[in-house]
Amino acid sequence: MTNDTFRRQSGPFRAGDRVQLTGPKGRMNTITLEEDGEFHTHRGVLKHNDVIGQPDASVVLSTNEIEYLALRPLLTDFVMSMPRGAAIIYPKDAAQILASADIFPGATVVEAGVGSGALSLWLLRAIGPSGALHSFERREEFADVARANVTAFLGATPSNWDITLGDLAETLPEVAKPGTVDRVVLDMLAPWECLDVAAEALTPGGVIICYIATVTQLSRVSEALRRTGQFTNPESTETMIRGWHVEGLAVRPDHRMIGHTGFLLTARRLAPGTVLPELKRRASKSDFSDEDVEAWTPGSLGERTSSDKRLRKTARHAQAVAEAAVAAENAAD
């Protein structure tokens, strides 16, 4: 299966499709359609055959005459409900990464680490079939989950995507020649350890963008980028989304919002030999030593990881979903 014949994102439902069912109280359930399959609830049974063949965004009835809205999940829906080996990058941050890093069709992109594959899906969509995505992951269990999730959503494993196991600092030179990468996206505990190898791989003017969880990491990466002398001054942002309740004259902010999930730090690769002009600014009390920084970064605070048993279970679940998606696409062909 080629990159331009991935699973359809529109059209009537068919066996193997993922369907998002929304009940009368707004509760959503995502199922995979099967011939003669059934979805059981305390409000009755919804037969899969009643959904298969219906147009997307149709209303179907359970045996108790309860209405369910059937929708094909958007990529946002999929990444929020897919099996996770590691925490995902939320859609709001993924959208900002695509915009801030200017991910374009045909781009060559390096991603580390791959996590559960959420960002990989967004990047693959942005670069299109003419681009190339090189993902790097230290843990094989995470790579297995990510590969299965991408395959489950697309219905096949993209030919323009590869996952390399190992440390980016050691393996990137084996995958990408110097000056051939357009964008580097780092989602890792200590991105400052990979700045030199990322600079070597990037083309002049290329973008490096780091997804960072804490202010301590943000400070350390920012100063490390400046010390390399190979990048423009970094810019840092965070994105927050607040929904609004709009019903008649009742118009107000939602009580809940998606607040801080992480920081984004971006910089551009300077041409070799270029010296960045110094910014004119007043002196500040920002002097620090490496010991000062290490004392309040994740290196000394410790990293929270998932257990091997939980990862193996997640990988099996993700692989089962992926195999069902591939089988459905092959049967349709």
Side-chain angles (χ1 to χ4, degrees):
M1 180 174 288
T2 59
N3 291 337
D4 56 352
T5 57
F6 285 138
R7 166 178 289 179
R8 303 167 309 145
Q9 298 302 313
S10 60
F13 294 118
R14 65 187 185 192
D17 281 349
R18 299 275 287 178
V19 176
Q20 183 176 277
L21 299 173
T22 304
K25 292 187 177 182
R27 182 174 180 178
M28 291 186 294
N29 291 277
T30 302
I31 64 172
T32 301
L33 293 177
E34 302 176 1
E35 294 284 353
D36 301 322
E38 295 181 339
F39 172 63
H40 290 259
T41 75
H42 67 283
R43 292 174 174 267
V45 178
L46 192 149
K47 297 182 181 299
H48 290 199
N49 289 350
D50 292 338
V51 182
I52 295 174
Q54 295 293 326
D56 199 351
S58 294
V59 173
V60 292
L61 299 177
S62 70
T63 53
N64 287 3
E65 299 296 313
I66 302 299
E67 294 182 335
Y68 286 87
L69 176 62
L71 288 166
R72 183 174 280 106
L74 302 176
L75 180 51
T76 298
D77 302 318
F78 180 82
V79 299
M80 294 302 293
S81 62
M82 69 188 189
R84 300 183 188 181
I88 66 167
I89 290 181
Y90 273 69
K92 71 180 181 70
D93 295 318
Q96 284 297 110
I97 289 173
L98 298 184
S100 298
D102 189 29
I103 309 296
F104 58 91
T108 298
V109 180
V110 165
E111 172 201 21
V114 72
S116 296
L119 183 59
S120 302
L121 281 164
W122 292 106
L123 293 172
L124 286 166
R125 174 171 285 182
I127 65 176
S130 60
L133 176 61
H134 304 295
S135 299
F136 294 78
E137 177 55 55
R138 288 180 174 179
R139 301 190 63 172
E140 186 173 2
E141 298 92 340
F142 287 171
D144 290 342
V145 172
R147 189 179 291 107
N149 282 332
V150 170
T151 301
F153 184 77
L154 297 178
T157 302
S159 60
N160 61 339
W161 178 49
D162 55 72
I163 301 179
T164 300
L165 291 175
D167 193 305
L168 180 72
E170 300 174 357
T171 56
L172 180 55
E174 302 172 2
V175 175
K177 295 180 180 179
T180 61
V181 174
D182 298 302
R183 306 290 186 260
V184 172
V185 184
L186 301 181
D187 174 20
M188 55 175 58
L189 183 65
W192 50 84
E193 297 176 352
C194 301
L195 298 182
D196 288 335
V197 70
E200 182 180 1
L202 277 168
T203 184
V207 178
I208 184 171
I209 184 164
C210 303
Y211 180 76
I212 304 162
T214 69
V215 293
T216 55
Q217 289 172 300
L218 180 64
S219 174
R220 183 162 185 174
V221 179
S222 180
E223 295 306 321
L225 275 167
R226 292 190 177 99
R227 283 198 297 268
T228 67
Q230 302 181 83
F231 295 94
T232 61
N233 279 306
E235 298 180 359
S236 55
T237 62
E238 67 174 332
T239 305
M240 299 184 184
I241 292 182
R242 183 174 70 173
W244 277 70
H245 172 88
V246 181
E247 189 173 340
L249 297 180
V251 180
R252 56 169 174 75
D254 284 341
H255 296 306
R256 293 184 177 182
M257 66 176 291
I258 303 176
H260 174 78
T261 49
F263 299 101
L264 293 180
L265 186 145
T266 59
R268 303 284 298 276
R269 174 69 163 99
L270 296 173
T274 298
V275 177
L276 187 69
E278 291 188 10
L279 296 177
K280 293 183 178 180
R281 55 188 177 187
R282 287 189 290 180
S284 65
K285 299 177 182 179
S286 59
D287 292 340
F288 60 91
S289 67
D290 290 341
E291 290 76 14
D292 295 329
V293 175
E294 179 59 28
W296 55 302
T297 53
S300 60
L301 298 177
E303 181 184 6
R304 185 177 178 182
T305 60
S306 301
S307 68
D308 292 340
K309 181 178 179 181
R310 181 177 179 274
L311 284 174
R312 288 193 295 270
K313 181 178 179 181
T314 303
R316 289 195 298 270
H317 180 200
Q319 186 60 39
V321 175
E323 290 174 356
V326 173
E329 289 301 306
N330 292 337
D333 293 339

